[in-house]
Amino acid sequence: MSPKTLYDKIWDAHVADETDDGTCLLYIDRHLVHEVTSPQAFEGLRMSGRKVRAPDKTIAVPDHNVPTTPDRVNGIENEQSRIQVEALDKNARDFGIHYYPVNDIRQGIVHIVGPEQGWTLPGMTVVCGDSHTATHGAFGSLAHGIGTSEVEHVLATQTLIQKKSKNMKVEITGKLSPGVTAKDITLSVIGHTGTAGGTGYVIEYCGEAIRDLSMEGRMTVCNMAIEGGARAGLIAPDQKTYDYVMGRPHAPKGAQWEAALAWWKTLYSDDDAHWDEVITIAAEDIAPVVTWGTSPEDVLPITANVPAPSDFEGGKVEAVERALDYMDLTPGTPLTEVEIDTVFIGSCTNGRIEDLRAAAGILKGRKIKQGMRAMIVPGSGLVRAQAEEEGLAKIFLDAGFEWRLAGCSMCLAMNPDQLEPGERCAATSNRNFEGRQGRGGRTHLVSPIMAAAAAITGKLTDVREMMNADAGQ
Amino acid sequence: MEKFTKITGVAAPMPLINIDTDMIIPKLFLKTIKRSGLGVNLFDEMRYDDDRNERPDFVLNKPAYRQTEILVAGDNFGCGSSREHAPWAIKDFGIRCVISTSFADIFFNNCFKNGILPIVMPKEVVDVLLKDAEKGENARMSVDLEAQTVTTSDGEVFRFEVDSFKKHCLLEGLDDIGQTMNKIAAIDVFEAKAKVERPWV
């Protein structure tokens, strides 16, 4: 048998039909659904009299629209948001799919709930009407976002019409330095490849620095594969993966666990597999990074200065002029002098328990800068409960952060958590596009510890200095 | 789905690179439970000022480009989210074809599901087409899917590549689900086999 990549193996195990031109029907093992990209798909099913083919493989949770303030138990004030969430309630009921409603403690961001509940398993195909579905690739599953027409297609047929992507290997060699996190890895890779660098590829992340990451960190890395343009990002499963999955509500048990484990252990790229593209980055060359522009590729180490349009070529020159104008930044300004007024810690990129622990490690015994608006939005109700049990919530509240209920919140600002025009935010989310966190709002993407440090100083900050101070150096 | 065969119409230039889905249709318009009516909010933040007045310097607000049917755009058009509201808004505005050097994967696929043809052309061709589009309403470009050609207002012809299955679907206006339903037996067979091989799924 010819050598295969991990992607090749998962792909081959899911092809239900293939035509001569290579167009395949790819069978889908898990379909995650949220309220924003699904109503038109369910409506399509109704209009054509179709059912959900595999309701037991379909899991829905409202996350994009839901308020994160405690008063949400009394209902959603915004009429359009309420209608969308109510539509999901009804669709889940009518079509008999698994559902975690707004006030269920298991509710949260769909990409956090899936792994947490054991829906996401190695070797699976996972789709969702959301680009950050790439997150689930951390388990060695093939996971990617789809549009609403494809949501309807999967609901009706449990398959997707697909052509195979190319294979890209991104290897992060060696060990990360203190203060450098999974978020810095994934942003640095995008800075290296550009936001279109991954177009047409599925990326497998590998190397010592990736193996050393926890499952939470691996989810952060894969989450932003889409920001690099890739269809999906994945990481081969290992003992950490099995340990994370074992015992979760929907993970296999008993003899099925053993059978699953035996298959999962075959899920790795063969030594002599063919790669269409290989990128190697040394972990020691990765610093804590921050974005300065309006594209996730606009990444620099925190120690750098704001670049000038003349530092770039081609169409990027105009894009950088526009970005600097939008971001109100002057070339040559040290990034550590950029003042911020808002901090957002959360999202499917960095809203898991490990992210909260890391932020708490910086915030413990400190206060946020006066006038700073800072919020922590856990990725799920269970993450929130765990953080409260571990005493993290108290650290956040004592530091001056707001401690919210679970949801997508200010990552895309579809709910009331938004930036006002001209406000500047250090955010642990995944996109710094114009208007992403609110019309006219300015976003700097950072890791949770960098966000925590910025909340204290009121400026983009090199968290390593704070860590050194803590260590008494 | 509406068929796409051949169109001749006004082409608008948007040379900015990395035009993302938040620019194409901002999140506040994703709260709809319908597919229609999004054209008025296409490129909303670029198109309207804070008081909801049209920005006169934005290309689609200029008299020559109000009837735009073809968009010639900078690299990596449609990057960002999976929101199909982006092609819905484009289509609702009246645009049937977008030409760029590259597209984000999900946006590219979403176009084909909605009767929109995204065309990938080399940089030097996109530059020629951008120049042509700058001529305003006098520059009526033609796109012929059957022949796989784009013809400028000067009669210069460029050939493009398109996936044969996607081309077939657009030309015939075929609905994906209907076609897959014809292969339901293959899905049944796969499902039965998978249930034995991977019963934990």
Side-chain angles (χ1 to χ4, degrees):
Chain A
M1 225 162 36
S2 58
K4 290 179 178 181
T5 64
L6 170 58
Y7 169 51
D8 296 338
K9 290 179 183 178
I10 302 173
W11 176 271
D12 290 350
H14 290 86
V15 174
D17 185 72
E18 182 166 4
T19 49
D20 293 343
D21 72 342
T23 303
C24 293
L25 277 182
L26 195 69
Y27 192 82
I28 302 303
D29 293 327
R30 292 286 181 264
H31 185 189
L32 308 174
V33 175
H34 65 81
E35 79 278 19
V36 176
T37 58
S38 67
Q40 295 88 347
F42 284 111
E43 192 55 24
L45 289 188
R46 281 198 182 88
M47 283 165 64
S48 51
R50 292 180 176 126
K51 293 178 177 171
V52 174
R53 181 179 169 96
D56 56 322
K57 295 182 167 77
T58 311
I59 300 99
V61 58
D63 56 5
H64 283 55
N65 265 298
V66 298
T68 59
T69 41
D71 59 356
R72 85 174 186 202
V73 293
N74 304 320
I76 299 173
E77 200 174 324
N78 181 284
E79 189 185 356
Q80 281 184 303
S81 295
R82 189 178 64 245
I83 289 171
Q84 264 192 345
V85 172
E86 286 172 353
L88 189 63
D89 290 343
K90 178 170 165 43
N91 288 329
R93 209 167 43 236
D94 288 359
F95 290 93
I97 62 181
H98 297 281
Y99 190 48
Y100 303 102
V102 175
N103 293 319
D104 189 308
I105 192 171
R106 298 166 297 176
Q107 178 272 346
I109 305 171
V110 65
H111 306 309
I112 292 189
V113 172
E116 202 168 69
Q117 293 299 320
W119 291 113
T120 308
L121 300 172
M124 280 185 162
T125 46
V126 182
V127 296
C128 174
D130 189 283
S131 55
H132 293 110
T133 309
T135 311
H136 307 265
F139 292 79
S141 63
L142 175 60
H144 60 86
I146 54 177
T148 299
S149 294
E150 290 181 316
V151 169
E152 186 180 342
H153 192 278
V154 177
L155 289 172
T157 71
Q158 206 56 30
T159 64
L160 262 189
I161 300 173
Q162 289 268 295
K163 269 194 173 167
K164 203 172 168 208
S165 303
K166 292 180 284 185
N167 280 289
M168 182 190 291
K169 175 160 86 169
V170 173
E171 185 173 11
I172 313 294
T173 60
K175 293 200 177 294
L176 292 175
S177 309
V180 182
T181 69
K183 183 64 165 288
D184 301 298
I185 293 180
T186 202
L187 280 170
S188 296
V189 170
I190 298 162
H192 186 87
T193 61
T195 50
T199 304
Y201 291 96
V202 164
I203 297 175
E204 181 177 339
Y205 300 95
C206 61
E208 185 183 357
I210 298 293
R211 292 260 75 88
D212 282 351
L213 291 175
S214 64
M215 287 311 295
E216 285 86 352
R218 293 179 190 182
M219 285 188 254
T220 300
V221 170
C222 290
N223 172 276
M224 290 191 71
I226 183 69
E227 257 47 78
R231 172 164 294 174
L234 37 74
I235 294 171
D238 60 12
Q239 193 58 44
K240 280 184 190 168
T241 321
Y242 316 141
D243 290 347
Y244 180 98
V245 168
M246 195 172 181
R248 295 200 177 257
H250 296 279
K253 312 217 161 34
Q256 292 218 345
W257 170 266
E258 295 304 325
L261 194 61
W263 188 57
W264 297 344
K265 287 186 172 174
T266 69
L267 299 176
Y268 53 84
S269 290
D270 296 327
D271 285 342
D272 37 5
H274 172 75
W275 298 98
D276 300 288
E277 178 75 45
V278 177
I279 289 169
T280 307
I281 298 175
E284 63 185 23
D285 291 341
I286 301 175
V289 292
V290 51
T291 65
W292 49 267
T294 54
S295 166
E297 70 189 15
D298 298 340
V299 176
L300 281 172
I302 182 64
T303 48
N305 297 342
V306 174
S310 57
D311 297 338
F312 298 86
E313 291 175 352
K316 191 69 185 169
V317 176
E318 188 199 340
V320 170
E321 280 169 3
R322 185 184 168 94
L324 292 179
D325 181 53
Y326 182 85
M327 295 296 289
D328 191 28
L329 292 175
T330 309
T333 310
L335 288 167
T336 48
E337 287 179 13
V338 175
E339 293 190 2
I340 55 148
D341 45 53
T342 310
V343 167
F344 168 64
I345 297 179
S347 85
C348 58
T349 314
N350 281 127
R352 284 168 285 268
I353 190 69
E354 185 186 88
D355 301 312
L356 270 46
R357 286 181 192 137
I362 299 296
L363 293 171
K364 189 169 187 178
R366 292 191 165 102
K367 297 269 183 212
I368 61 172
K369 190 170 184 228
Q370 202 169 11
M372 177 73 57
R373 174 189 180 201
M375 65 167 85
I376 298 199
V377 185
S380 73
L382 289 174
V383 169
R384 181 180 153 93
Q386 190 174 349
E388 288 179 346
E389 198 180 296
E390 293 182 14
L392 307 182
K394 186 170 185 320
I395 294 173
F396 300 142
L397 288 165
D398 287 350
F401 269 80
E402 294 176 52
W403 175 236
R404 297 297 192 94
L405 301 182
C408 298
S409 181
M410 204 189 261
C411 172
L412 87 167
M414 268 190 85
N415 79 344
D417 307 335
Q418 300 181 8
L419 291 182
E420 293 296 318
E423 285 186 331
R424 189 183 293 279
C425 180
T428 66
S429 46
N430 41 58
R431 291 197 176 125
N432 52 355
F433 297 160
E434 289 179 20
R436 174 73 180 183
Q437 294 193 284
R439 189 180 170 109
R442 298 168 180 140
T443 303
H444 296 277
L445 300 176
V446 290
S447 73
I449 52 175
M450 287 282 284
I456 293 158
T457 63
K459 292 189 281 193
L460 296 177
T461 298
D462 190 339
V463 68
R464 293 172 297 191
E465 290 173 10
M466 222 170 256
M467 293 167 75
N468 289 340
D470 283 348
Q473 289 174 12
Chain B
M1 186 176 76
E2 192 179 342
K3 288 181 186 181
F4 187 109
T5 49
K6 185 175 178 177
I7 59 167
T8 300
V10 174
M14 282 189 78
L16 186 65
I17 65 167
N18 294 333
I19 292 178
D20 59 66
T21 51
D22 280 78
M23 282 180 180
I24 298 172
I25 185 85
K27 83 275 284 123
L28 63 157
F29 306 109
L30 310 188
K31 295 190 181 192
T32 177
I33 55 171
K34 300 192 172 75
R35 293 172 197 246
S36 55
L38 290 167
V40 67
N41 302 114
L42 176 67
F43 299 118
D44 196 84
E45 291 183 12
M46 302 165 101
R47 204 162 139 201
Y48 306 103
D49 65 20
D50 292 344
D51 301 319
R52 303 300 303 163
N53 298 312
E54 286 188 1
R55 298 183 202 266
D57 55 341
F58 181 66
V59 62
L60 298 183
N61 289 335
K62 294 178 182 172
Y65 296 105
R66 289 192 169 265
Q67 304 300 320
T68 293
E69 289 180 66
I70 300 164
L71 202 59
V72 187
D75 309 345
N76 197 29
F77 187 84
C79 57
S81 95
S82 66
R83 60 187 71 166
E84 199 159 318
H85 309 67
W88 293 339
I90 287 171
K91 177 85 182 305
D92 197 54
F93 182 90
I95 294 170
R96 296 294 310 278
C97 175
V98 187
I99 304 171
S100 177
T101 57
S102 59
F103 293 89
D105 190 40
I106 306 175
F107 174 83
F108 187 75
N109 280 326
N110 283 342
C111 282
F112 285 100
K113 317 287 182 196
N114 290 282
I116 299 167
L117 174 63
I119 298 177
V120 178
M121 287 285 206
K123 178 100 180 77
E124 51 278 19
V125 174
V126 172
D127 286 344
V128 170
L129 298 177
L130 278 170
K131 272 264 174 290
D132 194 43
E134 283 167 11
K135 293 177 188 165
E137 61 192 329
N138 295 325
R140 293 179 70 79
M141 223 177 261
S142 292
V143 177
D144 185 336
L145 177 56
E146 180 66 58
Q148 295 181 215
T149 56
V150 176
T151 308
T152 66
S153 58
D154 299 332
E156 201 174 351
V157 180
F158 297 99
R159 202 183 141 74
F160 62 88
E161 295 302 319
V162 60
D163 178 88
S164 56
F165 176 74
K166 290 189 166 94
K167 175 181 177 179
H168 170 69
C169 292
L170 266 188
L171 282 173
E172 303 296 329
L174 295 177
D175 157 39
D176 277 357
I177 298 178
Q179 296 192 81
T180 300
M181 283 297 180
N182 291 332
K183 295 185 171 177
I184 215 77
I187 300 173
D188 288 341
V189 168
F190 178 89
E191 218 165 43
K193 187 168 140 261
K195 200 165 184 164
V196 175
E197 291 174 356
R198 296 192 294 277
W200 60 86
V201 172

